[in-house]
Amino acid sequence: MPPEAVLAPIELGAECGLLRPLDVAFARFLAAQAPDASGVVPLLGALVSRQQADGHLCLELHDWERLADEATWPQPWRDLVHKVATEPARITQSILVALPGDPARAGSPLVLDGSRLYLRRYWNHEQRVAHAISRRLARATDAPPQLAGQLARLFPQNPGHGPDWQRVACALAARGAFTVITGGPGTGKTTTVVRLLGLLQTLHHQQAARPLRIRLAAPTGKAAARLQASISTQVARLDVDDAVRNSIPSQVDTLHRLLGARPDTRRFRHDSAHPLHLDVLVIDEASMIDLEMMSAVLAALPDDARLVLLGDKDQLSSVEAGAVLGDLCRRAEAGHYSPDTAHWLRETSGDIVDAWVRDDAQPLDQHVAMLRHSHRFGADSGIGRLAQSVNSGDADQVRALLATPHADVAWIDACADGPRLAELALDGGHRRFAGHAQADSALQGYRHYLQWLHANRPTPLAGIDDFHAWARGVLHAFGSFQLLCALRQGPFGTEGLNRQIAGILQQAHLIEADREWYEGRPVLVTRNDYNLGLMNGDVGIALRVPDEHGAMKLRVAFEVPGLGGDDSTRIRFVLPSRLGERETVYAMTVHKSQGSEFDHAALVLPDQPSAVLTRELLYTGITRARRQFTLLSPYATVAWSLDNLSRRQSGLPWAFDRQAPRALP
């Protein structure tokens, strides 16, 4: 068959919007490398390329066959699906596809592992991650005899209504080289890790003169700054000796800074040949870590170091391919502890976890702890109940909660108020909260921070410290409210809403948005800038401040971690012209908001279904709110999101199961 005839179905897929130009180009590359009269392998290559762009690590051929029967795919695609189903050997006969352990095809661009087809680079990453974690799971670490006593010191009170999951997490982490601690908002993940660091340093101090070398990291600058502030506050209250307290670090780095990212490359200074100098690595907001980054972290980790991952397994996965935390925590809800683990916990910490013991317990399960009690949201919290109902997919309960007035939750039908959507977001939904005792004038949307900016501006003759304090106040006032969106484009997306809100603020004479840079403009850094020390996700605000000659100039103020690893932050002023990739951020995508929390978060959903609307996105948007949450959406969109679970295709869970991967039919 002529090459163009082979590629015709693939071109059709691009015309239908099912494939990207890059996917088609990859298919053409495959067809040129090894002519395939059937067209199966080039099409599969295009599809697995598209899967990777959508966050999946592989193409699950079983699911692909099922979807082809349900979806309105072009008929030529359906014909190729049936060729795969009826003649699976057709795939493995191609020199472009390798099976695991096949040295003859070690350089092939595609790998077929069971029924999962990978781009080789991602199969390699998955294998490295699975191998590195498995080695740590197998590494026996004897718990020191003083562990029980130190746990009792750090956790003096027993809640009395079941296991203290924070104590369970610390106990498991103290005896293992790899631990995952997961939990929803307010369940005490940071509190747990601070106590864990105190526990590890205390136990180590009793046996060695040198303290443990501990490093803390997070995927984004915003998440790193939030963890740093939280840890610094809690270490001071920790019941440990002063020598131990002083050996617990407060500085938190981004993962890129920790590994030593090399600009304009995907490589890092620290790798397997140049490992990190540490004994313990703690990574917060691990749900944001993609497979490639996790592979880089594990490669740079010394063999004898401990790794602790913190995160909410139910949040959105990383923007890039993979859902590492979700894969590691897929059995966390039911515990899946072995009888031996349950007995050890009863003897060591006094916690009884028999209700979470399972016959099919796996090694990984013994290293995962799920925190189950929220200290932030009480039983009467509308935010907490709504997040829990969304997480469980209980549509009836979600609708009932939205329809019932709550002091901390409001629902505005965006269809009914479509023309006023930007204004409603601008006022922070304050109209709905005006009748509640918890209503706070500081949460009236973006008017508040601009009014604060003008009312508290220092005089031109004020000292630079006064301008730093003023900038910090403006940033904090801005951070009290955030409008979140599921989409970037369209009337319900960040691009359109940012323009609308800027226009309304200008009409109210709060900003002068007739030029690109104006005082009060909030901007989001969208790419790491190591020269400026700004990371993807950092938020700054343009302000007029005196330069070295006393002239008032426009600078963008950012709050960055303090020098020397102290618990303070400092203000950095940057020339607007020096900022690289950035965008206005009155409205922010839910993905970009991960690692951040706001006193009041308002979530805008479109009036039409979209593939990006998932239960995880809705849950993540809700849990960005500390005190108040407003949902601007028709209920039909909410219902669609609840039914649309984000399940990224991956082979990582199979690496920790006794059951072998499925073979092709």
XYZ file of all heavy atoms in Angstrom, residues 257 261 263-264 527-535 570 572 574 578-580:
158
model
N 15.231 23.877 41.660
C 16.392 24.458 42.320
C 17.157 23.389 43.096
O 18.389 23.375 43.125
C 15.956 25.586 43.254
C 17.121 26.345 43.877
C 16.621 27.433 44.815
N 15.845 28.417 44.102
C 16.368 29.422 43.405
N 17.683 29.548 43.316
N 15.593 30.303 42.801
N 18.571 22.677 38.091
C 18.127 22.678 36.696
C 19.099 23.452 35.816
O 19.628 24.500 36.205
C 16.734 23.294 36.597
N 19.415 25.616 32.557
C 18.527 26.381 31.673
C 18.504 25.827 30.252
O 19.530 25.415 29.705
C 19.122 27.796 31.718
C 19.838 27.852 33.037
C 20.385 26.463 33.252
N 17.295 25.809 29.690
C 17.073 25.413 28.299
C 17.402 23.942 28.025
O 17.655 23.559 26.875
C 17.870 26.305 27.338
C 17.517 27.778 27.492
O 16.315 28.064 27.672
O 18.424 28.618 27.457
N 7.039 30.598 33.802
C 8.222 29.798 33.500
C 9.321 30.160 34.486
O 9.508 31.332 34.810
C 8.697 30.041 32.067
C 9.849 29.127 31.647
C 10.212 29.335 30.192
N 11.259 28.428 29.762
C 11.783 28.403 28.541
N 11.351 29.244 27.624
N 12.722 27.537 28.239
N 10.041 29.158 34.967
C 11.114 29.403 35.916
C 12.144 30.366 35.330
O 12.553 30.227 34.178
C 11.815 28.096 36.299
C 10.901 27.152 37.043
O 9.890 27.549 37.609
N 11.258 25.873 37.067
N 12.539 31.347 36.140
C 13.577 32.289 35.742
C 14.640 32.261 36.832
O 14.518 32.900 37.876
C 13.002 33.703 35.598
C 13.998 34.682 34.984
O 15.209 34.532 35.241
O 13.574 35.593 34.250
N 15.723 31.509 36.589
C 16.735 31.313 37.615
C 17.605 32.550 37.803
O 18.176 32.748 38.876
C 17.595 30.090 37.266
C 16.770 28.832 37.201
C 16.317 28.323 35.979
C 16.394 28.181 38.361
C 15.532 27.197 35.924
C 15.610 27.046 38.319
C 15.184 26.556 37.094
O 14.388 25.440 37.053
N 17.692 33.388 36.790
C 18.457 34.621 36.941
C 17.787 35.574 37.927
O 18.456 36.245 38.713
C 18.618 35.310 35.579
C 19.489 34.514 34.633
O 20.457 33.878 35.052
N 19.151 34.534 33.348
N 16.466 35.626 37.878
C 15.723 36.490 38.795
C 15.343 35.775 40.087
O 14.877 36.406 41.032
C 14.444 37.004 38.116
C 14.629 37.937 36.918
C 13.277 38.304 36.321
C 15.388 39.194 37.328
N 15.508 34.456 40.111
C 15.103 33.703 41.286
C 13.602 33.578 41.418
O 13.074 33.446 42.528
N 12.883 33.634 40.299
C 11.421 33.512 40.300
C 11.036 32.194 39.645
O 11.629 31.783 38.648
C 10.786 34.683 39.551
C 11.050 36.081 40.143
C 10.441 37.150 39.258
C 10.498 36.188 41.563
N 10.017 31.548 40.224
C 9.615 30.239 39.757
C 8.218 30.281 39.148
O 7.409 31.161 39.447
C 9.627 29.238 40.922
C 10.993 29.028 41.568
S 12.183 28.228 40.457
C 13.345 29.562 40.185
N 10.909 37.996 52.142
C 11.363 39.329 51.781
C 10.714 39.734 50.473
O 10.191 38.891 49.731
C 12.891 39.372 51.676
C 13.465 38.397 50.684
C 14.972 38.234 50.871
N 15.508 37.207 49.993
C 16.061 37.450 48.797
N 16.154 38.692 48.367
N 16.516 36.471 48.056
N 10.999 41.298 46.759
C 11.924 41.542 45.655
C 11.200 42.372 44.598
O 10.113 42.005 44.138
C 12.409 40.231 45.051
C 13.284 40.418 43.803
C 13.808 39.093 43.308
N 14.677 38.489 44.314
C 14.968 37.197 44.360
N 14.459 36.376 43.468
N 15.761 36.720 45.300
N 11.198 43.872 40.809
C 11.770 43.496 39.511
C 11.263 44.463 38.449
O 10.071 44.813 38.425
C 11.364 42.051 39.136
C 11.932 41.672 37.777
C 11.828 41.077 40.211
N 12.192 43.037 32.665
C 13.032 41.867 32.897
C 12.212 40.593 33.048
O 12.771 39.496 33.008
C 13.884 42.076 34.159
C 14.940 43.160 34.039
C 15.949 43.035 35.157
N 16.690 41.773 35.066
C 17.449 41.289 36.050
N 17.535 41.944 37.200
N 18.103 40.149 35.902
N 10.924 40.730 33.256
C 10.089 39.540 33.417
C 9.906 38.857 32.068
O 9.552 39.504 31.077
C 8.726 39.905 34.001
C 8.692 40.248 35.494
C 7.272 40.620 35.907
C 9.180 39.077 36.327
N 10.117 37.565 32.043
C 9.952 36.798 30.811
C 8.501 36.399 30.598
O 7.619 37.252 30.413
